[in-house]
Amino acid sequence: AKERGGNRYEVADPDADARAITRHGLTNQLPSALRHGEFFVEYQPLIGLEDGAVLGAEALVRWLHPVHGVLGPDQFIPLAESTGQIVPLGRWVLQQAAQQARDWHDLQFTGPAPRINVNLSPVQLSHPDLVAEVVAVLEETRLQPSALCLEVTESALIGADEDALKPLRRIADLGVAIALDDFGTGYSNLSSLRWLPVSVLKLDRSFTRGMRQHPADPVEMKIVEGIVSLAHTLNLTVTVEGVETRTQAEHLRALGCDTAQGWYYGKAGPADQLHTLTLADAS
Ligand code: C2E
Ligand code: CA
Ligand code: CA
Ligand code: CA
């Protein structure tokens, strides 16, 4: 049995070994990748459901790896979190995104400043320099705080005590918006919305799957209707993720959702994509 076990161990799933080596390799390469400029940021438009205007964008990081090609965040963010590399990487993304928002602002002569949403890892949230870094980025870019929105996942905040929430509260006090990302995927304590320093709810795309057709799934409609009503009572705005079809967009608009994001409007892409969208919208 021992022999068989040993043999099996050697030949079984060589892919798993390859994956492990790759993971290990990627982890080691993170610091130099940042120094060598291998990361880049793509921007996905955020749309006002009322009039279809482009309100801004969410910044989504990618890694142009010299061997593996473009890697998505799901392939390296968890690694970066486990080694702490997410702290310098996340700071870099914030700087890039804020500067990009500043550039959009300077390009646009009328109307409100385009909003920029940036994801914040729980690891960044518990890092002592976070507040100072946000302040520094706002100063460097001269971006108005209300044009910045930091997205924090529900799971990062669940069970957080008042001390853990302090940095987030201080950032919110600066005028920066805080969004609760992937809302509805964790075990939401709806009453926690009363005291979390959050001003935006981002509904996970799992809520809109049953809205691809007319009529939409009635239970799903009721659930989203209830969440929107609760959110608005608490002065939160509601953004819906993963809107892929016109039908979904129509249902969500009818339900009173404020902002939408998804392939129906535009995938994440280079910053110039937003110029075209905004121009097309204005004409
Ligand atoms: P997220 O914050 O929930 O971002 C939305 C994800 O859904 C993005 O995947 C986006 O490309 C994708 N998406 C957008 N519209 C649609 C749609 O209509 N249909 C479908 N099926 N998907 C859509 P992406 O870019 O692969 O990012 C995955 C996750 O990686 C993000 O989820 C976020 O949690 C994380 N992430 C991305 N950039 C950063 C970053 O700079 N820092 C941190 N800490 N996390 C990041
Ligand atoms: Ca997000
Ligand atoms: Ca999300
Ligand atoms: Ca997500």
Side-chain angles (χ1 to χ4, degrees), residues 123-147:
V123 178
Q124 290 174 276
L125 208 56
S126 55
H127 193 274
D129 294 341
L130 178 68
V131 180
E133 281 169 5
V134 172
V135 170
V137 165
L138 289 172
E139 277 173 4
E140 282 160 22
T141 58
R142 292 170 298 112
L143 186 70
Q144 60 196 84
S146 60

Side-chain angles (χ1 to χ4, degrees), residues 178-201:
I178 310 291
L180 199 51
D181 202 358
D182 297 349
F183 180 77
T185 57
Y187 295 91
S188 319
N189 178 355
L190 289 173
S191 69
S192 70
L193 292 174
R194 290 177 65 160
W195 48 267
L196 285 174
V198 160
S199 54
V200 180
L201 272 197

Side-chain angles (χ1 to χ4, degrees), residues 41-47 54-62 104 115-117 119 151 202 205 240-244 259-271 273-274 277:
V41 180
E42 287 194 318
Y43 298 89
Q44 184 176 34
L46 287 160
I47 308 294
V54 179
L55 301 178
E58 177 175 3
L60 296 160
V61 69
R62 281 90 178 83
W104 282 328
R115 193 173 97 188
I116 187 74
N117 283 32
N119 292 286
E151 301 193 356
K202 283 194 89 169
R205 66 169 162 270
V240 207
E241 301 186 302
V243 179
E244 295 179 351
T259 319
Q261 187 179 348
W263 296 344
Y264 172 61
Y265 301 102
K267 293 194 172 181
Q273 170 189 259
L274 264 286
L277 280 171

